[in-house]
């Protein structure tokens, strides 16, 4: 019963999937469930899917949702923690205006909901429970569809006015490649999976050869997932190799710039591509960072995120007792 | 007598000049003095000049140095606040190894000496007393021989592991121009006065025309000071205009990158060139920043530093009661 009293929920609300967990007071996962993120139906459809995922995870843990100490949600877009609203979530269906996510979902589940930024809670998870446990200052770099960043300074998350950590939009090349954000030369324009797919398609149009899209068809996917990139590299695909080289170079430059500004103890590499490529690629990012690091005799530690797929949901569950 | 008890000294220890002040508890300047920074004689010569400047400033204030609550020094290079040592001060004569600046100068003056980083104390001065008084998070950009940066987050200086704030070494162009630091594409490679002089000399060698070096001769100087750049712009000098345009573009890109990461309330532009060029150029930097700002509907406030020449020394005096 003591465990039940301390149990809390956590959800990583992504553009592709909803990952929910229920954990005990020692952050042990008691139940987990996954739902595809609805692609239509607006906030009500997303909230229904969140409810399903949380009820399933709680069921696995043998707990009623209303028994939970609370539920934290790591969400993309503009989070207003105080108001409990989410706005401008471009990867969620029709979710532009602020919508009262916390009160709507809380009413259905009978427990308190606390919202946080998805990347920041994933960073916090690595800081509190994962690869950065022994550090007090760190930069989390989440290399996936885009490249997000989270900051912990002196043991506390730094969110700025609400939008800090956009390491993907550090400029690495003035007048450089077009970024999905509409600007030019951002790191994400070279390293984000969405941008990399665009570069690959353009190269194919220009006559370059690659296995990337054949592997995509074989796997029955409609976009270049982390697994497809990994498979293409295994097959020695030249174009995939070149685009990944450019991505790593861009990440290295941006991380070095960020560290020249922040001088943190550790850089944690997470995200779909970051975790999939793992340790050897963390070393390549470190190598790409070194030539641009101003204080290069004591570089920050570069590590791969430890918590894997559940990191975001675990980090969100930490919001409950914050 | 109450004022005397609260009086404290502050010194901006620069590569060209030593600026000392004595201020009362309300930060009113009671006395000030300036000495050229010795170009030889190592730490002992610098310490003798510091002593002269502080004795003169105290004399103007009608106070014995031993009556001061303490003296703060904003110094370039690697400051160890706890140990009271300064090392690797490249702009000071023969000052590489850690030297016990605090104890040596404190013994001569009969008061406690506290060391800080020159750019950080200047940022702190603008935060506490100057252009950023009403903000709790800011980035100070000191545009001079190099381009230094200072950070205040949530009302407190952020120094990282001791070397945070190197905004001049944010990369603005991968594989770009050579920086005086030896790396490539740093913002300072385009915007630092030393680098700009190098670019001007190279352009002249390549046959470009400019008044810059003629004005330098007229003024009897051996390097391109802020005043010389300002004069050349007034005369409509094409090369000077083009190099300043590139400097502003580079500062805008780096400041935008920094703000995408930190999301602060205000950017304060100081330093020799920043203060000399003033408000119109702060607006130009703001314009150059905008296209790269990720959250561009609420850009940070961009202001010129208010405290001018005495800002560094005033900021150093704040170290006394920290």
């Amino acid at each position: 019963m003591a465990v039940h009293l301390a149990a809390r929920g956590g959800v990583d609300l992504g553009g592709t999937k909803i990952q929910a967990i229920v954990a005990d007071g020692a952050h042990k996962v008691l139940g987990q469930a996954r739902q595809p993120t609805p692609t239509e139906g607006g906030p009500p459809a997303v909230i229904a899917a969140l409810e399903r995922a949380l009820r399933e995870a709680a069921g696995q843990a043998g707990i009623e949702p209303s028994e939970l100490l609370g539920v934290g949600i790591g969400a993309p877009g503009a989070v207003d923690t105080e108001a409990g609203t989410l706005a401008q979530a471009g990867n969620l269906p029709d979710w532009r205006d602020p919508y009262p996510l916390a009160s709507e979902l809380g009413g259905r589940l009978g427990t308190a909901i606390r919202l946080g930024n998805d990347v920041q809670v994933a960073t916090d998870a690595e800081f509190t429970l994962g690869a950065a446990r022994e550090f007090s200052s760190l930069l989390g770099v989440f290399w996936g569809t885009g490249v997000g960043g989270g900051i912990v300074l002196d043991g506390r998350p730094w969110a700025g006015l609400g939008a800090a950590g956009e390491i993907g939009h550090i400029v690495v090349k003035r007048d450089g490649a077009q970024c999905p954000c509409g600007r030019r030369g951002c790191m994400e324009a070279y390293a984000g999976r969405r941008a990399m797919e665009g570069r690959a398609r353009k190269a194919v149009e220009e006559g370059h050869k690659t296995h990337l899209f054949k592997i995509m068809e074989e796997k029955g996917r409609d976009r270049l997932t982390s697994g497809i990139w990994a498979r293409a590299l295994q097959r020695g695909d030249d174009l995939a190799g070149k685009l990944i080289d450019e991505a790593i170079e861009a990440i290295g430059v941006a991380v070095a710039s960020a560290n020249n500004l922040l001088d943190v103890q550790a850089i944690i590499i997470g995200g779909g591509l970051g975790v999939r490529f793992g340790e050897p690629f963390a070393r390549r990012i470190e190598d790409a960072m070194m030539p641009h690091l101003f204080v290069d005799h004591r570089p920050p530690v570069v590590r791969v995120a430890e918590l894997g797929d559940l990191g975001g949901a675990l980090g969100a569950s930490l919001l409950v007792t914050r």
Side-chain angles (χ1 to χ4, degrees), chain A:
Chain A
M1 192 62 189
V3 166
H4 282 202
L5 283 173
R8 73 283 315 270
V11 184
D12 183 9
L13 172 51
T16 308
K17 65 177 199 293
I18 290 168
Q19 174 70 59
I21 63 153
V22 165
D24 67 15
H27 314 293
K28 189 178 159 220
V29 175
L30 306 173
Q32 53 179 294
R34 192 180 273 197
Q35 289 278 333
T37 306
T39 54
E40 52 189 17
V46 174
I47 286 170
L50 284 166
E51 185 186 359
R52 281 195 299 278
L54 277 160
R55 286 199 182 279
E56 188 184 333
Q60 266 190 25
I63 299 171
E64 285 297 317
S66 62
E67 290 179 295
L68 293 171
L69 199 60
V71 172
I73 299 185
V79 168
D80 185 329
T81 304
E82 295 305 313
T85 59
L86 173 65
Q88 294 165 43
N91 289 328
L92 301 179
D94 301 325
W95 200 313
R96 276 172 295 269
D97 295 336
Y99 194 92
L101 171 57
S103 59
E104 293 269 323
L105 182 62
R108 284 162 173 249
L109 293 172
T111 188
I113 307 286
R114 200 162 164 82
L115 307 184
N117 171 273
D118 53 353
V119 176
Q120 188 62 53
V121 303
T123 300
D124 201 27
E126 293 296 331
F127 167 61
T128 306
L129 307 170
R133 282 191 303 279
E134 79 259 41
F135 302 114
S136 65
S137 64
L138 66 121
L139 178 65
V141 179
F142 292 85
W143 182 19
T145 311
V147 187
I151 300 172
V152 173
L153 302 177
D154 211 6
R156 298 184 308 173
W158 174 253
L161 295 172
E166 290 291 356
I167 193 167
H169 302 283
I170 282 186
V171 178
V172 295
K173 187 140 196 154
R174 213 168 63 188
D175 309 321
Q178 179 98 34
C179 184
C181 79
R183 299 173 187 83
R184 287 208 161 269
C186 301
M187 178 256 267
E188 188 173 306
Y190 301 91
R193 193 170 48 206
R194 187 184 300 138
M196 284 165 62
E197 178 166 338
R199 292 165 78 79
R201 288 191 189 281
K202 195 166 163 224
V204 169
E205 283 168 20
E206 289 167 356
H208 292 270
K209 302 266 181 251
T210 178
H211 298 285
L212 279 164
F213 298 100
K214 212 173 72 184
I215 300 170
M216 186 180 86
E217 276 176 37
E218 287 166 14
K219 291 199 162 204
R221 307 302 294 261
D222 59 358
R223 61 190 177 85
L224 298 180
T225 61
S226 302
I228 293 167
W229 283 99
R231 183 72 61 88
L233 288 188
Q234 280 162 8
R235 291 198 193 168
D237 188 277
D238 281 347
L239 181 67
K242 182 171 160 287
L243 291 172
I244 293 283
D245 286 352
E246 287 182 8
I248 285 170
E249 176 69 19
I251 296 172
V253 168
V255 168
S257 287
N259 200 64
N260 291 344
L261 192 65
L262 289 178
D263 195 19
V264 293
Q265 294 169 309
I267 313 289
I268 305 298
I269 311 286
L273 282 165
V275 170
R276 165 75 67 161
F277 288 153
E279 192 54 34
F281 283 72
R283 296 290 72 78
R284 290 183 60 191
I285 289 171
E286 189 173 29
D287 289 346
M289 171 186 84
M290 286 303 293
H292 299 287
L293 210 56
F294 189 67
V295 178
D296 54 7
H297 65 277
R298 52 154 180 78
V301 172
V302 178
R303 286 196 188 155
V304 179
E306 269 180 16
L307 301 172
D309 271 359
L310 295 187
L314 268 167
S317 76
L318 297 174
L319 292 168
V320 172
T321 48
R322 286 289 147 89

